[in-house]
Amino acid sequence: SAVISQKPSRDICQRGTSLTIQCQVDSQVTMMFWYRQQPGQSLTLIATANQGSEATYESGFVIDKFPISRPNLTFSTLTVSNMSPEDSSIYLCSVVWLNTEAFFGQGTRLTVV
Amino acid sequence: AQKITQTQPGMFVQEKEAVTLDCTYDTSDPSYGLFWYKQPSSGEMIFLIYQGSYDQQNATEGRYSLNFQKARKSANLVISASQLGDSAMYFCAMREEGGGADGLTFGKGTHLIIQP
């Protein structure tokens, strides 16, 4: 299995600022995924972070708002830019392991005030 | 159309009873995987069980089993001998593997409460 460390675990941010979330995996993985879970809702895929190429974004999510870095096979960051209260959510990174398991980091609980 | 449908927003079950959480899916991809997760109030996503579209047998992991009915596009989670610690949100998810790079699509979840 893969162990994922995500930080920060929670933050309270002022509107208009940006927050960068880090995700570290204990094994090399080809693809890492970023999800958003709005309050009381299910998880929605934001983007796939590919090592060596630009991230692939899902409909409704854009690079200017959610820039992603993937400098190597064990690390990725997601930035939430120019935040508004509507960005208050849990953000989670995930990896698919051997195509039969998908593990998640502990999540970052973001509150924008 | 929703790709993953969980029709039970909430369930109350007596401790030690078996629980079935419903999940139906929609895909035209012949190669896909189905996942179940538990999310306690702490917010972490705990992987429970996986079923591949080509798997002949239903997946089992301890007290968890997956009732996979491919023709009905159904992948219900069965929890045997429920415990108070099973109280949580449960999410069904699917990964369509034909494209090779897709993340998971989640259902809306079922809030399970185990009563003593």
Side-chain angles (χ1 to χ4, degrees), chain A residues 41-57:
Chain A
Q41 303 297 315
S42 185
L43 281 73
T44 301
L45 180 65
I46 297 172
T48 302
N50 309 303
Q51 197 271 331
S53 63
E54 282 204 358
T56 305
Y57 289 83

Side-chain angles (χ1 to χ4, degrees), chain A residues 96-102, chain B residues 34-35 47 49-51 95 97:
Chain A
V96 174
W97 188 253
L98 300 177
N99 269 353
T100 60
E101 297 173 280
Chain B
L34 298 157
F35 300 75
F47 168 73
I49 198 166
Y50 167 86
Q51 180 84 43
R95 180 169 187 254
E97 297 164 356

Side-chain angles (χ1 to χ4, degrees), chain B residues 93-105:
Chain B
M94 177 174 65
R95 180 169 187 254
E96 293 167 299
E97 297 164 356
D102 289 341
L104 273 61
T105 302

Side-chain angles (χ1 to χ4, degrees), chain A residues 4 6 8-9 18 31 33 38 56 59 62 66 78 96 104 111:
Chain A
I4 304 173
Q6 184 176 339
S9 58
S18 298
M31 289 175 289
F33 304 91
Q38 294 176 299
T56 305
S59 175
V62 295
F66 298 102
L78 170 76
V96 174
F104 285 80
T111 302

Side-chain angles (χ1 to χ4, degrees), chain A residues 64-76:
Chain A
D64 290 347
K65 177 67 176 178
F66 298 102
I68 287 171
S69 79
R70 183 80 198 276
N72 57 54
L73 291 174
T74 63
F75 187 79
S76 178

Side-chain angles (χ1 to χ4, degrees), chain B residues 4-53:
Chain B
I4 297 286
T5 303
Q6 295 181 253
T7 58
Q8 306 151 310
M11 285 185 72
F12 289 86
V13 173
Q14 212 65 24
E15 188 181 8
K16 298 180 185 176
E17 289 184 351
V19 181
T20 297
L21 304 180
D22 296 340
C23 174
T24 57
Y25 60 92
D26 184 26
T27 181
S28 58
D29 192 333
S31 180
Y32 55 89
L34 298 157
F35 300 75
W36 275 94
Y37 289 87
K38 174 183 179 180
Q39 188 179 43
S41 56
S42 59
E44 61 185 310
M45 291 291 286
I46 301 170
F47 168 73
L48 297 177
I49 198 166
Y50 167 86
Q51 180 84 43
S53 58

Side-chain angles (χ1 to χ4, degrees), chain B residues 49-116:
Chain B
I49 198 166
Y50 167 86
Q51 180 84 43
S53 58
Y54 294 116
D55 294 343
Q56 295 295 314
Q57 295 190 330
N58 288 342
T60 61
E61 288 287 350
R63 292 187 301 114
Y64 303 107
S65 60
L66 201 151
N67 183 3
F68 181 47
Q69 298 190 37
K70 193 170 182 178
R72 294 186 177 184
K73 293 189 174 179
S74 165
N76 298 340
L77 177 72
V78 180
I79 306 174
S80 63
S82 59
Q83 304 170 357
L84 296 178
D86 293 332
S87 295
M89 282 293 293
Y90 286 81
F91 291 99
C92 178
M94 177 174 65
R95 180 169 187 254
E96 293 167 299
E97 297 164 356
D102 289 341
L104 273 61
T105 302
F106 284 82
K108 294 185 183 296
T110 295
H111 188 193
L112 175 64
I113 297 174
I114 307 297
Q115 297 176 313

